[in-house]
Amino acid sequence: MNLWERRIYFLNLAAEHLLLSLGSLVAVTFLGILIGVFVFYSSKSRKIILPLINFLYTIPSIAMFGLLIPLVGIGLKNALIVLILYGLLPMVRSTYSGMKEVPEQLVEAAEGLGSTPTQVFRNIYFPLALPSILSGLRITVVMIVALTGLAALIGAGGLGQAIFRGLNTMNTGLIVAGSLGISLFAILGDQWIGQFEKKASLLHLISKNATPKQKRRIIFPTVLVLIFTLGALIYLNPLEKENSKTIVVASKPTSEQFILGEIIAQRIENNTDIQVIRKFGIGGGTTNIQPAMLSGDLDVYVEYTGTAWLNVVKKDLPENHLIDFTKLGKLYEENYDLKWLGLLGFNNTYGLAIGKDHPESQSITTYSDLAARSKDFIFGAEFDFFERSDAFPGLKKVYPFHFKSLEEMDINLRYQAFKQGKINAVDIFTTDAQIKRLNLKVLSDDKNYFPSYEAGIVIREEIIKKYPEVEKLLFDLKGKISTEKMQELNYEVEILKKSPAEVAQEFLKTLKY
């Protein structure tokens, strides 16, 4: 599917990006100026507020999104808080610095003429500090537009979703389109504020001395911004969504999850009048989705039994590493008011692989073989694999790996690193499309370390009570996707460059009920 055929998708993302960026910018502008003025007049608060804002700015934005999830969940609220916090530093600094640089003799002269403190602020401090404030605002605009791209990781939408989806599905077109869209927003925002900055010293924005042409150069782009904002509000119509019958379908940030999310969404859309809101590609996977399910921000998604057992209910694996699905389902219902609607039919467990063309490929067939020769290999895997107790930390206790080096990277970049020769051993999932494409040799887990990671649909029980017809619709997907079929669907998205929506639609047409 080419980019033109996805124009509605990009229009949605652009509208979301505009509203989120502009809403954050308005809040940051007012709060930043107010705090900047306050710290200028209050030396005691200055010693606390400025260092605090500086400290918040040092926290990586991705970490900040994650830290707020237990407090406010995922989505719009989380994104707004983070964007506002990050935007405060340049606004507070520029306001405070602009007022501090006002010549003292001008202030003394105004006070000598009988001006009140309010009049001094209105007629001296603020007009002279305005160029500095607007300079800080230009920086803030570009920064907020860029950071809004990261908000897609927590389901807040925006053009960043296209970038992350492109990374997850190895679609360069999506990455470029999303990046260009964000860059265009940033450039236009910078130019818009620049018009105010150029005229600030002459007009103070609304000076009577301004010529009609000068006023038009400020008013016209501002009116355009307001028109586009109103258009985005009408187009997205959040009030209608809030009052209508809706279900929020979520997914983790992988091709497989995008496809499965689309299968669920389209299954509901095709058979009910319920509106589906897609929150796909949520960063952190289960770590962020599970709390959002409990808070009601998300309603349904696909989970894996091994992940659920070890990372959600936090139980030790049985000796045979076979997870009791019935027991898992009961624990979910009793502890979380969540229900598993059967298993889809495939097992996407962890695995380790090397290239079939590696010199030692013939003699290495098991994990034990790889461990014995691990000093000759550079092992690469996603951050999650090195962190999870059921992944590399536990794997090392069973197999004595001593790799030449370990390379941590985004889950969607590890195959690219393998292709470029930066690593020569990699963790895989058994349904990955790249196994075939890169001619990988999947090794045997001879000590049966990894448990089964069978995929199943998890839904909030409240949603089942609200929309009972959905339970049967999704339960009917039980056993309909084999491991081989899932690998085939992933291949269509990652290699043949079909969209997850298209692949899901074609798959659903093949089902017989």
Side-chain angles (χ1 to χ4, degrees):
M1 181 179 288
N2 59 41
L3 297 181
W4 173 248
E5 292 173 331
R6 295 188 181 186
R7 59 190 182 279
I8 301 300
Y9 169 70
F10 282 107
L11 187 59
N12 277 321
L13 298 187
E16 292 170 350
H17 206 101
L18 174 62
L19 292 178
L20 183 52
S21 299
L22 196 59
S24 305
L25 181 64
V26 171
V28 164
T29 301
F30 283 104
L31 284 175
I33 292 175
L34 287 174
I35 295 173
V37 171
F38 178 69
V39 298
F40 174 76
Y41 283 108
S42 175
S43 58
K44 290 183 179 179
S45 63
R46 188 186 313 148
K47 296 176 181 178
I48 299 173
I49 294 176
L50 290 181
L52 177 60
I53 293 175
N54 286 334
F55 169 72
L56 291 173
Y57 199 69
T58 64
I59 301 175
S61 54
I62 292 179
M64 184 73 82
F65 284 123
L67 290 171
L68 287 176
I69 287 175
L71 300 175
V72 298
I74 66 169
L76 186 61
K77 291 180 183 178
N78 188 317
L80 281 172
I81 292 172
V82 173
L83 292 173
I84 290 170
L85 288 176
Y86 271 85
L88 282 178
L89 180 64
M91 283 307 301
V92 172
R93 280 288 183 186
S94 62
T95 302
Y96 169 69
S97 299
M99 294 182 68
K100 187 179 179 182
E101 291 169 3
V102 172
E104 188 64 29
Q105 57 268 33
L106 290 179
V107 177
E108 292 174 354
E111 291 174 343
L113 292 172
S115 297
T116 63
T118 301
Q119 290 172 328
V120 171
F121 170 75
R122 187 176 64 243
N123 299 320
I124 304 295
Y125 277 121
F126 189 73
L128 294 179
L130 194 55
S132 175
I133 293 172
L134 290 172
S135 179
L137 186 57
R138 289 187 76 170
I139 296 171
T140 304
V141 168
V142 175
M143 183 180 68
I144 284 180
V145 170
L147 282 178
T148 299
L150 291 176
L153 285 171
I154 54 163
L159 289 164
Q161 188 180 115
I163 297 175
F164 292 118
R165 180 175 285 209
L167 287 170
N168 297 334
T169 60
M170 301 182 185
N171 190 319
T172 305
L174 285 176
I175 298 171
V176 172
S179 301
L180 288 177
I182 292 174
S183 298
L184 181 61
F185 270 129
I187 291 169
L188 292 176
D190 177 72
Q191 291 299 311
W192 172 43
I193 302 301
Q195 293 301 316
F196 289 93
E197 187 181 16
K198 290 175 184 176
K199 306 296 179 298
S201 59
L202 174 65
L203 308 176
H204 302 323
L205 306 183
I206 54 172
S207 170
K208 295 179 180 179
N209 296 325
T211 66
K213 182 178 180 181
Q214 289 171 328
K215 287 184 178 180
R216 282 197 301 271
R217 292 184 66 178
I218 294 175
I219 295 172
F220 181 69
T222 303
V223 170
L224 278 181
V225 170
L226 293 175
I227 290 173
F228 279 117
T229 302
L230 180 61
L233 280 169
I234 294 172
Y235 178 74
L236 293 176
N237 201 356
L239 292 178
E240 181 183 349
K241 291 180 181 179
E242 194 173 306
N243 296 324
S244 62
K245 297 170 64 176
T246 60
I247 285 181
V248 182
V249 178
S251 87
K252 301 179 184 183
T254 63
S255 300
E256 178 168 297
Q257 284 274 316
F258 279 117
I259 297 167
L260 296 172
E262 278 291 345
I263 289 173
I264 292 171
Q266 291 183 31
R267 178 84 174 134
I268 295 171
E269 289 173 333
N270 295 342
N271 296 278
T272 72
D273 61 348
I274 299 170
Q275 182 181 5
V276 175
I277 299 175
R278 292 163 171 79
K279 297 287 184 181
F280 292 171
I282 294 176
T286 301
T287 304
N288 291 337
I289 291 178
Q290 176 69 12
M293 290 284 286
L294 298 180
S295 68
D297 290 333
L298 303 176
D299 298 324
V300 57
Y301 81 111
V302 171
E303 186 55 278
Y304 303 93
T305 54
T307 302
W309 188 267
L310 293 163
N311 298 90
V312 179
V313 301
K314 300 185 185 302
K315 297 288 185 179
D316 292 331
L317 286 171
E319 290 185 9
N320 60 6
H321 282 205
L322 296 178
I323 293 169
D324 186 336
F325 178 67
T326 302
K327 184 176 181 180
L328 177 64
K330 287 182 179 179
L331 289 171
Y332 260 65
E333 291 179 28
E334 293 170 0
N335 298 328
Y336 311 115
D337 292 325
L338 301 175
K339 186 172 183 178
W340 284 74
L341 299 180
L343 299 174
L344 294 172
F346 68 90
N347 178 23
N348 189 11
T349 190
Y350 274 121
L352 301 181
I354 61 174
K356 289 183 179 178
D357 56 354
H358 190 277
E360 297 187 59
S361 174
Q362 295 300 319
S363 60
I364 298 177
T365 59
T366 67
Y367 290 6
S368 294
D369 294 337
L370 180 62
R373 299 170 177 81
S374 56
K375 290 183 180 180
D376 299 325
F377 287 85
I378 300 173
F379 179 73
E382 68 275 14
F383 305 111
D384 197 35
F385 188 81
F386 289 109
E387 182 65 25
R388 289 172 52 155
S389 61
D390 60 326
F392 197 67
L395 187 66
K396 286 195 303 180
K397 296 177 182 177
V398 178
Y399 299 98
F401 290 116
H402 298 284
F403 291 108
K404 183 188 296 184
S405 66
L406 301 175
E407 299 293 334
E408 300 184 33
M409 61 196 71
D410 182 81
I411 188 171
N412 303 295
L413 298 179
R414 68 199 198 284
Y415 286 126
Q416 185 175 341
F418 190 95
K419 185 177 180 181
Q420 294 174 352
K422 295 179 179 178
I423 59 175
N424 52 10
V426 64
D427 78 305
I428 56 98
F429 294 109
T430 50
T431 59
D432 285 349
Q434 297 294 329
I435 294 173
K436 177 180 178 181
R437 187 186 191 192
L438 296 178
N439 197 29
L440 296 178
K441 180 177 183 178
V442 180
L443 305 180
S444 171
D445 183 4
D446 50 305
K447 296 182 180 179
N448 297 316
Y449 172 74
F450 287 121
S452 295
Y453 285 82
E454 296 182 88
I457 298 174
V458 177
I459 189 170
R460 293 198 300 122
E461 291 190 335
E462 182 182 341
I463 293 298
I464 294 177
K465 293 176 184 176
K466 190 175 181 180
Y467 309 121
E469 67 272 28
V470 170
E471 181 175 10
K472 183 180 185 308
L473 284 173
L474 299 184
F475 188 81
D476 284 345
L477 293 171
K478 178 182 177 181
K480 292 294 194 296
I481 309 175
S482 65
T483 300
E484 293 74 21
K485 185 63 178 178
M486 193 67 247
Q487 191 179 78
E488 178 188 324
L489 298 178
N490 288 335
Y491 187 88
E492 290 182 28
V493 169
E494 294 183 12
I495 312 303
L496 301 183
K497 303 304 178 186
K498 293 183 179 181
S499 72
E502 181 183 3
V503 171
Q505 184 180 38
E506 291 173 355
F507 168 76
L508 287 172
K509 288 179 180 178
T510 66
L511 297 183
K512 296 179 181 179
Y513 294 99

